[in-house]
Amino acid sequence: MQNKYVPALRFHALTRLYDPLVRITLKDAKLKSLLVSHLELGGAMRVVDIGCGPGTLAIQIARACPSARVFALDGDPDILALAREKAVAAGVEVTFVEGLAMAPPLEAATFDRVVTSLVLHHLARADKRAALRAMLQLLRPGGRLLVADWGEARSLLMRAAFLSVQILDGFANTRDHVSGRLPEFLKDAGFEKVEEIHRERTVYGIVSFYAAVRPQGPEAS
């Protein structure tokens, strides 16, 4: 396992460009609004955004459900500093935590929702699997995971578009995404009711939303 943090856009020097770049090129506002709606928030839920980057999604979650307690985890202290500034400016309360997706320093079995967006494709296969197992452990039995990441390319056009992502982020760690293996990894991690619930075409390829649930029974341990 690498246990190595990969910053937004791969290089620390590009961190401050992340927000404007994804806003322009990735239908960012639409994708995050869809993610929030698919989280099915309500009441005093505990929600954590794994690999929160500059905090845009976590802030949107806090706005959408003010009664929820929202956490956001990232391994990059620089981008967390930006995220904290944004949360203060937005007037919402988000608890930002520094840590890696493979070993989040958060209490197990205490979250109703876990969400992660465009994070897993940065990780080597072993780290993807470790991160998904860690997300399972964060959820209460019956809690729901929502993953948004690069999905299976089902046309030559989308496969060609995805080459730009692979050139920037690496071929080895993105191969499982373009071949559609994330549902398999989710099931292997112990999740049930795994399904692809949305596909969005972008200039870089397909972004897929995968939903999954932590089982209620002893198999969740």
Side-chain angles (χ1 to χ4, degrees):
M1 189 183 301
Q2 290 180 342
N3 277 344
K4 178 181 177 184
Y5 177 73
V6 181
L9 298 180
R10 197 172 186 180
F11 303 104
H12 286 284
L14 299 179
T15 291
R16 288 189 175 271
L17 298 178
Y18 183 84
D19 252 357
L21 183 62
V22 297
R23 187 163 53 245
I24 293 168
T25 62
L26 265 184
K27 305 180 182 178
D28 191 55
K30 177 182 179 180
L31 287 174
K32 284 184 170 53
S33 293
L34 283 169
L35 277 172
V36 172
S37 66
H38 282 297
L39 280 171
E40 300 176 358
L41 301 168
M45 284 184 172
R46 285 169 58 92
V47 184
V48 59
D49 178 10
I50 301 293
C52 66
T56 308
L57 178 58
I59 290 167
Q60 195 162 337
I61 291 169
R63 281 175 168 161
C65 189
S67 58
R69 185 164 183 200
V70 181
F71 292 74
L73 177 135
D74 203 279
D76 184 351
D78 294 334
I79 211 162
L80 281 176
L82 290 177
R84 289 187 180 100
E85 291 174 8
K86 287 174 60 176
V88 170
V92 298
E93 185 174 345
V94 177
T95 301
F96 291 98
V97 179
E98 185 176 343
L100 297 179
M102 296 79 75
L106 296 164
E107 188 177 356
T110 61
F111 290 92
D112 303 285
R113 299 287 186 270
V114 173
V115 61
T116 185
S117 176
L118 295 176
V119 172
L120 292 175
H121 75 277
H122 288 292
L123 305 180
R125 181 180 294 173
D127 289 343
K128 288 187 218 299
R129 291 184 178 276
L132 291 172
R133 289 193 298 269
M135 292 178 206
L136 179 82
Q137 294 305 313
L138 289 176
L139 284 166
R140 295 183 172 119
R144 193 161 185 258
L145 170 69
L146 189 59
V147 175
D149 217 308
W150 301 110
E152 182 181 5
R154 298 175 185 170
S155 71
L156 288 176
L157 177 62
M158 288 295 98
R159 183 65 187 89
F162 193 61
L163 285 174
S164 59
V165 175
Q166 294 190 293
I167 290 168
L168 178 64
D169 291 332
F171 283 82
N173 48 288
T174 55
R175 190 172 296 123
D176 290 325
H177 294 259
V178 75
S179 61
R181 295 194 65 189
L182 278 188
E184 170 194 335
F185 293 171
L186 285 160
K187 291 173 186 175
D188 289 346
F191 287 97
E192 64 179 17
K193 300 180 182 177
V194 176
E195 59 178 330
E196 184 183 50
I197 58 173
H198 183 74
R199 287 172 61 83
E200 189 74 29
R201 290 167 64 101
T202 78
V203 295
Y204 300 124
I206 295 293
V207 174
S208 289
F209 289 8
Y210 302 99
V213 173
R214 177 171 177 167
Q216 293 278 2
E219 64 271 24
S221 61

